[in-house]
Amino acid sequence: MSFETISVIGLGYIGLPTAAVFASRKKKVIGVDVNQKAVDTINRGEIHIVEPDLDMVVHAAVTEGYLRATTAPEAADAFLIAVPTPFKGDHEPDLSYIESASKAIAPVLKTGDLVILESTSPVGATEKMAAWLAAARSDLTFPQSHGSESDIRIAHCPERVLPGHVLRELVQNDRVIGGMTQRCSEAAVALYKTFVEGECIVTNARTAEMCKLTENSFRDVNIAFANELSVICDKLNINVWELIELANRHPRVNILQPGPGVGGHCIAVDPWFIVSETPEHARLIKTARNVNDSKPAWVIEKVEQAVSFRKKNFGEQDLTIACFGLAFKPNIDDLRESPSVDILTQLSRRKLGKIICIEPHIASLPENLRAHCELVSLDDGLIAADIVLLLVDHSVFRAKEVDLTGKTVIDTKGIWV
Ligand code: SAJ
């Protein structure tokens, strides 16, 4: 099976690196995105997202002529759909981007083409995608009606890469390949073998969908355990970090780290796709989500208590609250879906004092945060702070020798306590 031309639909955090890696293996790649600005940026050999080294790979792919972006789908031998799958207000998955992408590529499909859904999806989404494609192209046959003999092959192959390490993990991670038929899986394996050095393990589409949701739910449940422990330990006056370190010395215990909440675009979203399908049975998964989602409110309460304590006992009025770290996790500059941003915004609304923030990974604050606080350097933040609120365990914070005399410290990551 040879795939001369590969089309990637959705040029975001997963689609663009995937397109670039195929192109770096000298495949002709057509990237498709509805965002004209993103398309123009990529065609200039630049990138619109933040991911280490991606700029170089995209620049090389575009200048060597292997990668080209467009807003209108064109014929290809394989199509990878990597569009967002957010949830709606009630935590129900929103498949509208997959539906639009399917309807957009349907007119250019031809016999022998492979369509892969890469977006993290609720169980059954690949079958829905197949149905949308079939409805649009009655002249072609699909696996749901014609099995292995179908004109079009369809599979779900979820991405599992860690933001910040995408280019390495795309190549090295094992890949779960869930074809709608054996032949679909074989085609998908052949495609991924272009660059995947990990194993390509074959299963069916529903299991592949559930596998991705399970991986992120597993992590979410384990982080919730750590977060719950941190709240319990605070009540019992026990240092949770010491506790976890001790417990983890047991050969079969491996507790994760508590924090200000769970951010990012995956772990806080994907477990809901299981809950919404099986609400009566996904009790633990749902509780874990709620435990993690309630952690920012707990942190805010701690700050409120600290402010009233200082006002009452020291008569201080103009307190400065310094928030250390805004990114959704350490050593990255990605502020999207960050619990720290949520905490900072809510603190400023409560008018508890002057809010300043320290985020060494960004040069300036995004527009929506400028009204709430000022971005200062690590040293200036440490000098100005009455209340030190540590929200992200960036390496630069860990490495800093800090003198916190006279300050109230709320350390959600346990590095300065
Ligand atoms: N976090 C904690 N305590 C921990 C570990 C993480 O509070 O011990 C927090 C982080 O600070 C962050 C959030 O959890 O706010 C998520 O961070 P993460 O590093 O656990 O995960 P993501 O969202 O960057 O990437 C995850 C990965 N999934 C798993 O590790 C199972 C990645 O492999 C997936 O590809 C990605 O989701 C995705 O796209 O689904």
Side-chain angles (χ1 to χ4, degrees):
M1 243 164 293
S2 87
F3 300 95
E4 293 314 318
T5 306
I6 298 162
S7 180
V8 179
I9 320 297
L11 297 171
Y13 276 79
I14 299 304
L16 183 56
T18 305
V21 172
F22 272 118
S24 73
R25 302 300 191 270
K26 309 219 176 301
K27 292 284 178 189
K28 186 181 163 205
V29 182
I30 303 164
V32 182
D33 202 290
V34 289
N35 178 350
Q36 181 72 51
K37 234 172 120 187
V39 164
D40 294 341
T41 306
I42 295 161
N43 284 334
R44 284 197 306 271
E46 294 164 14
I47 60 174
H48 61 297
I49 57 174
V50 182
E51 180 60 38
D53 302 331
L54 182 63
D55 51 348
M56 287 182 320
V57 185
V58 168
H59 187 260
V62 172
T63 47
E64 286 168 21
Y66 289 105
L67 173 62
R68 175 169 58 82
T70 168
T71 52
E74 296 173 20
D77 304 317
F79 295 83
L80 285 94
I81 297 187
V83 294
T85 39
F87 56 62
K88 301 178 209 158
D90 50 1
H91 295 130
E92 292 287 313
D94 175 3
L95 298 186
S96 58
Y97 295 91
I98 300 180
E99 185 175 358
S100 308
S102 311
K103 289 181 176 163
I105 63 165
V108 298
L109 286 182
K110 59 183 185 324
T111 299
D113 282 357
L114 168 66
V115 182
I116 292 181
L117 179 61
E118 278 218 7
S119 313
T120 303
S121 301
V123 173
T126 310
E127 289 156 11
K128 284 201 175 112
M129 180 184 82
W132 286 318
L133 292 173
R137 290 297 300 269
S138 54
D139 55 321
L140 291 169
T141 62
F142 290 81
Q144 63 271 35
S145 53
H146 287 71
S148 287
E149 300 313 310
S150 62
D151 294 333
I152 303 296
R153 321 210 206 288
I154 294 178
H156 178 59
C157 306
E159 60 78 19
R160 303 150 99 191
V161 290
L162 196 67
H165 301 273
V166 169
L167 287 171
R168 174 169 54 78
E169 290 210 351
L170 262 181
V171 173
Q172 290 179 356
N173 287 4
D174 290 344
R175 196 91 203 198
V176 174
I177 310 276
M180 285 184 69
T181 65
Q182 187 61 26
R183 203 156 167 218
C184 297
S185 296
E186 282 162 16
V189 170
L191 177 68
Y192 282 103
K193 276 293 170 197
T194 310
F195 67 80
V196 171
E197 289 168 10
E199 244 182 277
C200 290
I201 307 132
V202 168
T203 180
N204 57 42
R206 291 175 78 85
T207 309
E209 288 161 344
M210 189 63 180
C211 184
K212 169 68 198 237
L213 303 181
T214 301
E215 290 160 10
N216 281 352
S217 299
F218 173 85
R219 196 153 167 85
D220 197 44
V221 169
N222 281 280
I223 298 170
F225 181 73
N227 276 333
E228 184 162 294
L229 272 183
S230 74
V231 174
I232 293 170
C233 285
D234 183 67
K235 281 261 175 271
L236 301 180
N237 202 17
I238 291 169
N239 180 326
V240 69
W241 313 99
E242 184 193 359
L243 173 84
I244 290 174
E245 209 179 309
L246 293 174
N248 280 350
R249 284 182 175 248
H250 184 289
R252 284 174 296 284
V253 173
N254 187 12
I255 303 168
L256 293 180
Q257 299 300 306
V262 167
H265 348 285
C266 312
I267 302 216
V269 175
D270 302 352
W272 288 118
F273 293 175
I274 301 180
V275 176
S276 70
E277 281 295 308
T278 50
E280 281 162 31
H281 305 290
R283 291 179 297 164
L284 184 60
I285 296 171
K286 183 177 180 184
T287 302
R289 267 294 62 248
N290 289 331
V291 167
N292 286 334
D293 273 355
S294 65
K295 198 65 195 293
W298 183 85
V299 174
I300 290 164
E301 206 183 301
K302 286 274 133 201
V303 177
E304 281 176 334
Q305 285 166 3
V307 169
S308 0
F309 180 85
R310 287 187 77 113
K311 283 190 175 164
K312 195 163 151 223
N313 291 290
F314 309 138
E316 294 171 323
Q317 287 313 316
D318 302 319
L319 288 165
T320 298
I321 305 164
C323 301
F324 291 80
L326 282 183
F328 88 86
K329 64 180 197 174
N331 306 325
I332 59 167
D333 60 359
D334 193 342
L335 309 190
R336 296 170 312 150
E337 321 296 336
S338 169
S340 315
V341 170
D342 180 26
I343 290 168
L344 183 145
T345 313
Q346 293 205 42
L347 283 177
S348 96
R349 285 203 189 115
R350 284 168 209 222
K351 311 225 175 300
L352 299 170
K354 182 180 177 198
I355 314 275
I356 54 174
C357 70
I358 298 89
E359 180 43 82
H361 296 89
I362 57 173
S364 61
L365 285 174
E367 191 71 34
N368 57 337
L369 287 182
R370 271 179 221 156
H372 299 297
C373 71
E374 192 190 332
L375 183 70
V376 303
S377 71
L378 177 49
D379 286 324
D380 288 349
L382 282 166
I383 293 168
D386 297 305
I387 295 176
V388 168
L389 177 58
L390 190 290
L391 293 167
V392 186
D393 50 337
H394 288 312
S395 301
V396 278
F397 294 165
R398 274 186 192 279
K400 182 83 181 163
E401 285 224 7
V402 289
D403 176 8
L404 301 170
T405 321
K407 303 178 192 299
T408 305
V409 181
I410 300 162
D411 184 347
T412 69
K413 295 304 296 184
I415 63 173
W416 285 346
V417 283

